[in-house]
Amino acid sequence: MISKIKSLIKPPVRDSFQGKTDLESRDEKNFFRMALGIILGTLLVLFFSFMITFFVSVRGAEQTLVPNVTGEYLIDGLINLQEKELYPRIQVRYTEDPLEKDHIISQDPKAGSVVRAGKRIKLTISKGAVVDKVGSYTGLNLSDVKTQLQTLFASYKPLMVIKEPVVFVFDDATAGTILEQEPIADTPLTGLTELIFVVSRGPVGKKYNIDDFTELRWMDAVNRLVRSNQPFVFTLSEDEPGNNSVVLKQVPASGKTVMAGTRINLTISTPKKLARDEGFGMIELTLPDYPVSVDLTVERTETAGRAETIMEMKHPGGRFSMPYREKIGTEITVKIYDEVVKKITVE
């Protein structure tokens, strides 16, 4: 009995190396295991969190369907893109239809394409037509307005055209001046619009006495006629050659009273001699009868490429003929408002 009691009260055995009892040693081991488990668990949680984040980032944004915004008003199209988490990249340009202003006229990628959310969609926005309203043309010259419209719509479909035939009336304003227009200035353009003009013919024709051109060299006669914008027609007389090719006859005769713009017919002699490298002849053509005199120009271009204006004048149209004496190979060109209507090469 006493031996049992002694065994119960026997002091615990101490670790010879650590100087600790068995109970203390077990507690420390359990604590160490628990701490190690917590650390390993934390590391595992961090590892799995990192892997999940990595794969989500690699996977990227969700895919979405590109909506059809072509033809929509800009604001409406932007809202539709925003709902799909898409963003615009905008560029603008003029179009032929003024009603397309501020509307989306094209998109890239096309509607129905599958893209990632956050992608930028290229949108082309219309700035409308080059002009969106009728200009003020009253008081301007008809030829200038035609040139202006041609330049304005050189790269785009025309939105304004001048209705033909133009109405011409006698007026104190300079010939060719636009007196009235329809539609009026600032009328909005919604499509192709015809411009109706009333244009001045100039004052009622004045009368004057015909000069005497006989015995003048033909080029001197041309210069005098051009200065007064008097239309003329030259013809050759084969029967009476002369050294300098002078005017032999004129109709109407000198001193006769005629209306301004009356055509003068001049008959000239054929030159007797020409240099070996010269050619002589007549450039002839029939022009339309213009309601207002147009700018007529005659130019020559030498074989070396040098160009020179021989004459320029206002011409009412109809028959036109003029002599030439130039070096062989020279090109002679007749133009109306810089448009070539006749070209010959001297032979």
Side-chain angles (χ1 to χ4, degrees):
M1 184 68 177
I2 295 173
S3 61
K4 289 182 179 180
I5 294 173
K6 286 182 178 180
S7 64
L8 291 173
I9 62 174
K10 184 180 178 180
V13 179
R14 294 182 177 273
D15 191 320
S16 60
F17 296 98
Q18 301 294 334
K20 298 179 180 179
T21 63
D22 291 339
L23 182 59
E24 290 174 341
S25 179
R26 283 196 302 271
D27 290 342
E28 288 182 358
K29 289 179 180 180
N30 290 336
F31 175 78
F32 175 76
R33 288 171 182 162
M34 184 175 64
L36 182 60
I38 292 173
I39 293 172
L40 290 176
T42 302
L43 291 176
L44 286 174
V45 170
L46 291 175
F47 174 76
F48 283 114
S49 299
F50 169 77
M51 294 301 293
I52 292 171
T53 304
F54 173 76
F55 284 113
V56 168
S57 63
V58 169
R59 180 185 175 188
E62 294 184 0
Q63 292 185 329
T64 185
L65 201 66
V66 177
N68 183 13
V69 295
T70 301
E72 291 188 356
Y73 191 66
L74 176 59
I75 299 300
D76 296 333
L78 294 180
I79 292 175
N80 287 338
L81 290 179
Q82 182 176 288
E83 291 174 350
K84 296 289 186 177
E85 296 186 5
L86 299 172
Y87 302 97
R89 177 178 285 113
I90 293 176
Q91 60 183 19
V92 296
R93 67 178 178 86
Y94 287 109
T95 55
E96 297 175 352
D97 188 352
L99 298 179
E100 288 182 340
K101 185 176 182 180
D102 295 332
H103 284 72
I104 300 170
I105 56 177
S106 68
Q107 66 180 82
D108 184 28
K110 296 181 179 180
S113 302
V114 178
V115 298
R116 296 187 185 279
K119 182 177 177 61
R120 291 194 177 275
I121 307 300
K122 185 169 68 176
L123 303 179
T124 302
I125 313 301
S126 171
K127 295 176 67 176
V130 179
V131 289
D132 56 3
K133 58 185 178 181
V134 176
S136 177
Y137 304 114
T138 303
L140 301 181
N141 184 273
L142 177 62
S143 299
D144 294 339
V145 173
K146 287 182 177 180
T147 302
Q148 178 183 337
L149 293 178
Q150 289 174 355
T151 303
L152 190 62
F153 298 112
S155 303
Y156 299 93
K157 182 180 178 181
L159 291 176
M160 292 183 289
V161 294
I162 298 174
K163 185 177 181 180
E164 299 288 353
V166 176
V167 178
F168 289 90
V169 296
F170 288 107
D171 191 86
D172 290 337
T174 304
T177 302
I178 298 173
L179 304 175
E180 300 177 20
Q181 72 174 74
E182 185 182 340
I184 61 174
D186 296 329
T187 299
L189 293 173
T190 57
L192 182 61
T193 301
E194 285 190 327
L195 301 175
I196 301 174
F197 291 145
V198 177
V199 181
S200 171
R201 286 185 182 273
V204 176
K206 297 180 180 179
K207 295 182 178 182
Y208 75 103
N209 295 328
I210 294 288
D211 291 338
D212 186 4
F213 297 100
T214 56
E215 301 302 323
L216 288 178
R217 291 186 301 178
W218 67 265
M219 197 62 206
D220 293 334
V222 168
N223 290 334
R224 289 177 61 177
L225 291 165
V226 166
R227 281 197 295 269
S228 59
N229 287 316
Q230 194 69 29
F232 55 82
V233 172
F234 281 87
T235 55
L236 289 175
S237 173
E238 301 291 345
D239 299 331
E240 301 182 52
N243 291 329
N244 296 317
S245 187
V246 297
V247 177
L248 303 175
K249 184 172 62 175
Q250 69 178 70
V251 177
S254 62
K256 188 172 182 179
T257 302
V258 296
M259 297 291 293
T262 299
R263 185 173 282 101
I264 309 299
N265 294 278
L266 303 171
T267 303
I268 62 172
S269 58
T270 304
K272 289 181 179 179
K273 295 182 180 180
L274 294 173
R276 296 180 61 182
D277 62 346
E278 280 187 327
F280 179 84
M282 195 78 67
I283 183 167
E284 300 178 281
L285 69 155
T286 300
L287 300 167
D289 289 322
Y290 302 108
V292 175
S293 295
V294 297
D295 293 336
L296 182 145
T297 306
V298 180
E299 298 177 349
R300 65 172 165 229
T301 305
E302 299 176 353
T303 53
R306 188 172 68 92
E308 182 181 4
T309 298
I310 300 175
M311 58 142 283
E312 52 186 344
M313 65 178 295
K314 293 287 186 181
H315 200 279
R319 188 182 172 199
F320 172 81
S321 65
M322 189 183 99
Y324 62 82
R325 183 173 182 172
E326 302 289 346
K327 290 185 178 181
I328 293 174
T330 299
E331 285 189 345
I332 299 178
T333 306
V334 181
K335 296 181 179 180
I336 299 293
Y337 290 128
D338 294 328
E339 180 182 350
V340 176
V341 294
K342 179 87 172 184
K343 180 183 285 189
I344 65 169
T345 301
V346 178
E347 298 178 348

